[in-house]
Amino acid sequence: MQLESMYQDVILDHYKHPHGRGLRSGDAEVHHVNPTCGDEITLRVRYEGGTVADVSYEGQGCSISQASASVLNELLVGKDLGEALGIQATFLELMQSKGRITPDEQMEEVLEDAVAFAGVSKYPARVKCALLSWMAWKDATAKALGEAAWEAAGQERRTA
């Protein structure tokens, strides 16, 4: 129970003191909405070479969706595309686990504060909240880098 309380504190801290909030210039912008609950985010990415130079956002919604965007900024800015995609894939795996994955030391090292969302994976409606900014980042990245670079990174373009 103490671990869950710590995780809740991490989420609340990112909600109250967000990293990356406030739209800044970028290479691409996307707007995503979670129709289930009304959470929404406008997210911009900026790349320098193959490095995530900035992720900025504006949004509204629950503490989970807003804290997740803050954690995304903290984790991905400064990483090269391959590493950022690996972090995103690990977070997605955790969120899709339906609570069956308990983060181990290796996962904690990759996800840092994002492991705080492990308990969220038990609640399908809340998973969409946690993933909102991550899916927006992936779409903005595909838009910013173009089809050729995206395919070179081993990603499939998602069509809405």
Side-chain angles (χ1 to χ4, degrees), residues 30-41:
V30 297
H31 182 78
H32 280 212
V33 176
N34 179 348
T36 307
C37 64
D39 290 355
E40 57 183 276
I41 188 165

Side-chain angles (χ1 to χ4, degrees), residues 35-53:
T36 307
C37 64
D39 290 355
E40 57 183 276
I41 188 165
T42 299
L43 184 139
R44 289 184 186 156
V45 295
R46 185 171 52 84
Y47 282 86
E48 290 175 5
T51 302
V52 181

Side-chain angles (χ1 to χ4, degrees), residues 2-15 116:
Q2 189 174 13
L3 186 61
E4 264 186 52
S5 176
M6 185 184 77
Y7 284 169
Q8 288 172 353
D9 289 346
V10 168
I11 291 170
L12 285 175
D13 186 53
H14 274 278
Y15 177 67

Side-chain angles (χ1 to χ4, degrees), residues 26-107:
D27 300 322
E29 177 180 303
V30 297
H31 182 78
H32 280 212
V33 176
N34 179 348
T36 307
C37 64
D39 290 355
E40 57 183 276
I41 188 165
T42 299
L43 184 139
R44 289 184 186 156
V45 295
R46 185 171 52 84
Y47 282 86
E48 290 175 5
T51 302
V52 181
D54 192 29
V55 176
S56 62
Y57 66 93
E58 278 297 333
Q60 59 185 23
C62 69
S63 60
I64 291 171
S65 71
Q66 299 305 294
S68 187
S70 173
V71 169
L72 177 145
N73 170 276
E74 187 176 85
L75 280 174
L76 301 188
V77 171
K79 303 289 192 297
D80 67 45
L81 177 59
E83 188 176 2
L85 287 168
I87 293 167
Q88 189 268 345
T90 302
F91 187 71
L92 183 61
E93 176 187 7
L94 178 64
M95 289 297 91
Q96 293 177 336
S97 74
K98 298 180 181 174
R100 292 188 295 263
I101 292 178
T102 301
D104 59 15
E105 196 173 304
Q106 183 179 4
M107 185 175 272

Side-chain angles (χ1 to χ4, degrees), residues 109-160:
E109 192 173 305
V110 170
L111 293 179
E112 299 176 18
D113 280 356
V115 298
F117 295 90
V120 172
S121 70
K122 298 173 189 171
Y123 307 99
R126 306 308 286 178
V127 168
K128 288 185 178 202
C129 299
L131 287 176
L132 184 65
S133 59
W134 294 81
M135 296 299 108
W137 171 78
K138 200 168 178 184
D139 286 350
T141 294
K143 190 175 178 181
L145 300 179
E147 202 67 40
W150 192 239
E151 288 174 6
Q155 299 296 309
E156 289 182 27
R157 177 76 180 206
R158 192 170 62 118
T159 56

